[in-house]
Amino acid sequence: MNFLLRILINGITAYYLVGFLTWWCIVIMPFFLGCFIKENYFTHFLSGFIGIGIAWIFLIINTDISNQSIISEKIIHILKIENVNLLIIYTSIIGGLIGGIASITGYSLQRIFIKDLPRKTYRD
């Protein structure tokens, strides 16, 4: 499956699932894509990281605009962060790491049950 398509699937499903499920539902789609798509660890991590990270950026900005930054201002005072933009960046990185690790976990589960055949090397 195409790398960009996996990023879109991860991001869109995470954006809409968080609306009516709990926050940890963002790991569902990267996990299943990792289980069913055969790539390598780096591309799985990167697609989960980018897709979920971008979805969280949009979710946080949407939440921040809807409550006029009341919650964000309280959180930056508690965590002693300089401004709201850094808070958005930090939380999107955390969400991206969660998505990347979920994708790697799914791929690792796939590799447990589906073993690759060893390649035969032909020597002259």
Side-chain angles (χ1 to χ4, degrees):
M1 184 179 264
N2 193 358
F3 178 72
L4 295 175
L5 186 60
R6 280 187 299 174
I7 290 174
L8 285 173
I9 291 171
N10 283 330
I12 291 170
T13 56
Y15 185 81
Y16 287 112
L17 284 179
V18 170
F20 57 91
L21 294 175
T22 58
W23 69 269
W24 54 264
C25 70
I26 62 168
V27 301
I28 295 171
M29 190 51 69
F31 180 79
F32 283 124
L33 288 177
C35 283
F36 296 118
I37 297 171
K38 190 171 184 175
E39 286 280 333
N40 58 15
Y41 286 104
F42 181 70
T43 59
H44 274 290
F45 177 80
L46 210 55
S47 67
F49 182 83
I50 293 171
I52 302 300
I54 290 174
W56 268 31
I57 286 174
F58 287 120
L59 280 168
I60 293 167
I61 290 172
N62 188 16
T63 305
D64 194 45
I65 290 171
S66 68
N67 65 21
Q68 287 109 16
S69 300
I70 295 171
I71 297 174
S72 300
E73 291 295 328
K74 291 181 180 184
I75 291 173
I76 63 172
H77 288 304
I78 291 171
L79 297 178
K80 295 180 177 37
I81 299 173
E82 289 83 26
N83 56 18
V84 177
N85 295 334
L86 286 176
L87 179 68
I88 292 171
I89 291 170
Y90 292 158
T91 53
S92 66
I93 288 173
I94 291 170
L97 288 173
I98 292 169
I101 291 170
S103 185
I104 286 177
T105 305
Y107 182 62
S108 297
L109 184 71
Q110 174 199 22
R111 295 213 21 170
I112 288 173
F113 293 112
I114 300 172
K115 299 286 185 186
D116 290 333
L117 296 175
R119 294 183 179 180
K120 293 182 180 180
T121 58
Y122 297 102
R123 298 182 185 190
D124 293 351

